[in-house]
């Protein structure tokens, strides 16, 4: 028996095949550049060398077909027949207020995911295409949807409502949803496991700092607030997204530069953040740090702004929870950048303040393991936890397969 995890995006389908324990990776890879020249399959089997080859793939359906052919290939494959795949776990970005747990996919679930295409027009449609491809190629496997928004279903109304007329919530469902939930849930559980402490006893802040960045306040294992909002645009400064900005500034720019909603959307999501602030033609933090080290003033300022925003949210979330026990860094930047972790934590050392103190040597050490990087006197534990969203999806899928109920979240829909 095997579990296939599928993450279908607008131009790629990522996959990981897990063994029956839902933990051991048998194969993984990606079909990328779908719809562009040079569509390719990258594939890594259990032991073999990574393979890469050009493929003729026009859509998610053909991508899943190509992936299944690779998994059952006589030479590089890891399973004999596709029937060995008992379940497919699909990453779905938006489950809205209805789909707040991993769910076996049926027509009703698909229609709700489709309804939420309105709220996540870039993500839910390709996710849905991945689901349909899974159903077509693997009709006997259980198809499960795991949602990026679901972990945040426990956020209370005082944290998820915006200060606008209530009818825009009741009629248009405008509210904070939050994203990266699969990652925040995974790293919070791994952090508690590493510390040997029950998650229910901890006040934790998880910082998912990748190309997209978000932070979550997790109290007793439940998300109580998160930095992303109605869309992933809100909150931290990211690779190409601006994060928090006064909406009046957006209106002002639209009016004075005659920008359409689509152009403004493009500007805020694709042309802002580190890319815009550093002005070096790259949104990769490694390039920004290198430029800053070389004396580029704008790159230095971009780094400052990035880290300052993270610090601000640490303060806000610690206040929101009334305390902080564990600070977790994850994703590309969080896992790999000692510079960012140092700048974020600097000045938080005093016990009267936050009691967050890094150990410089531990912080500088590169590793792919979960690790503690706080200094001895630090009141707050500081952890680096490599995220693994595929593994979390496999675990959730296995849990559904084995009929174990998911931990109840207080997901009762808020009624005004
Ligand atoms: P995504 O949000 O696309 O999944 P990742 O979590 O893979 O992104 O993070 C990608 C980002 O991580 C890159 O843009 C880069 O800025 C950053 N990154 C990766 N390695 C390092 C490093 N050693 N130092 C600083 N930043 C890094």
């Amino acid at each position: 028996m095997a579990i296939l995890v599928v993450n279908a995006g607008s131009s790629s389908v990522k996959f990981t095949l897990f063994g029956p324990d839902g933990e051991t990776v048998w194969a993984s890879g990606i079909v990328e550049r779908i719809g562009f020249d040079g569509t390719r399959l990258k594939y890594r089997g259990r032991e073999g060398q990574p393979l890469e080859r050009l493929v003729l793939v026009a859509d998610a359906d053909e991508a899943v077909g190509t992936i299944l052919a690779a998994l059952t290939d006589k030479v590089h494959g890891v399973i004999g027949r596709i029937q060995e795949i008992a379940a497919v776990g699909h990453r779905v970005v938006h489950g809205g207020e209805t789909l707040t747990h991993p769910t076996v996919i049926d027509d009703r679930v698909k229609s709700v995911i489709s309804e939420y295409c309105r709220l996540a027009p870039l993500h839910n449609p390709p996710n849905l295409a991945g689901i349909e491809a899974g159903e077509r190629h693997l009709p006997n496997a259980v198809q499960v949807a795991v949602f990026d928004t679901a972990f945040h279903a426990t956020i209370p109304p005082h944290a998820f409502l915006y200060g606008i007329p209530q009818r825009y919530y009741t009629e248009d469902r405008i509210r904070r949803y939050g994203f990266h939930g699969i990652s925040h849930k995974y790293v919070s559980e791994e952090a508690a496991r590493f510390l040997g402490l029950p998650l229910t006893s901890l006040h934790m802040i998880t910082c998912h700092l990748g190309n997209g960045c978000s932070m979550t306040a997790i109290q007793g294992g439940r998300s109580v607030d998160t930095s992303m909002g109605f869309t992933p645009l809100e909150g931290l400064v990211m690779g190409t997204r601006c994060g928090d900005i006064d909406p009046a500034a957006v209106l002002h720019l639209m009016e004075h530069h005659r920008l359409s909603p689509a152009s403004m959307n493009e500007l805020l999501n694709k042309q802002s953040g580190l890319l815009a602030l550093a002005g070096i033609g790259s949104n990769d933090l490694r390039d920004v740090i290198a430029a800053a080290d070389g004396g580029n003033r704008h790159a230095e300022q971009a780094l400052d702004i990035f880290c300052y925003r993270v610090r601000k949210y640490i303060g806000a979330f610690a206040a929101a929870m009334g305390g902080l026990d564990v600070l977790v860094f994850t994703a590309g930047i969080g896992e790999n950048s000692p510079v960012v972790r140092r700048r974020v934590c600097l000045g938080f050392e005093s016990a009267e303040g936050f009691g967050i103190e890094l150990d410089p040597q531990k912080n500088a050490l590169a590793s792919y393991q979960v690790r503690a990087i706080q200094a001895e006197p630090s009141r707050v534990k500081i952890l680096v936890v490599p995220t693994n969203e595929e593994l979390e999806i496999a675990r959730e899928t296995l849990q559904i397969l084995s009929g174990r109920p998911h931990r109840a979240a207080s997901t009762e829909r808020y009624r005004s």
Side-chain angles (χ1 to χ4, degrees), residues 16 34 42 45 55 108 110 118 127 133 141 145 149 163 174 179 195 207 221 272 341 359 378-379 384:
T16 308
I34 300 170
K42 291 181 178 169
V55 286
R108 187 195 67 89
K110 277 197 289 180
R118 195 170 39 88
N127 297 162
T149 46
I174 305 294
F179 299 88
L195 294 169
C207 309
S272 297
R341 294 193 299 255
D359 179 303
S378 183
R379 199 187 51 73
V384 177

Side-chain angles (χ1 to χ4, degrees), residues 245-269:
I245 183 171
D246 183 346
V250 176
L251 298 174
H252 177 93
L253 288 175
M254 289 177 78
E255 197 174 334
H256 288 268
H257 292 275
R258 299 190 185 289
L259 294 173
S260 65
S263 326
M264 196 67 216
N265 191 43
E266 171 84 8
L267 190 155
L268 298 174
N269 273 294

Side-chain angles (χ1 to χ4, degrees), residues 114-127:
S114 167
E115 189 189 319
Y116 287 126
C117 287
R118 195 170 39 88
L119 299 180
L122 298 181
H123 295 105
N124 274 27
N127 297 162

Side-chain angles (χ1 to χ4, degrees), residues 208-212 283-286 289 331-333 336-337:
H208 178 111
L209 309 178
N211 207 6
N283 59 318
D284 191 308
L285 194 87
R286 286 164 288 199
I289 290 175
I333 297 171
N336 298 305
S337 179

Side-chain angles (χ1 to χ4, degrees), residues 214-259:
S214 70
M215 289 169 61
T216 298
I218 302 172
Q219 196 168 348
R222 289 161 168 246
S223 169
V224 293
D225 203 351
T226 193
S227 60
M228 284 180 168
F230 176 65
T231 74
L233 188 55
E234 195 179 348
L236 302 175
V237 172
M238 313 182 204
T240 60
R241 295 191 190 117
C242 63
D244 294 337
I245 183 171
D246 183 346
V250 176
L251 298 174
H252 177 93
L253 288 175
M254 289 177 78
E255 197 174 334
H256 288 268
H257 292 275
R258 299 190 185 289
L259 294 173

Side-chain angles (χ1 to χ4, degrees), residues 323-346:
L324 177 63
D325 305 307
V326 187
L327 179 64
V328 177
F329 289 98
T330 192
I333 297 171
E335 289 166 32
N336 298 305
S337 179
V339 174
V340 165
R341 294 193 299 255
R342 178 168 50 76
R343 285 190 178 220
V344 164
C345 294
L346 203 68

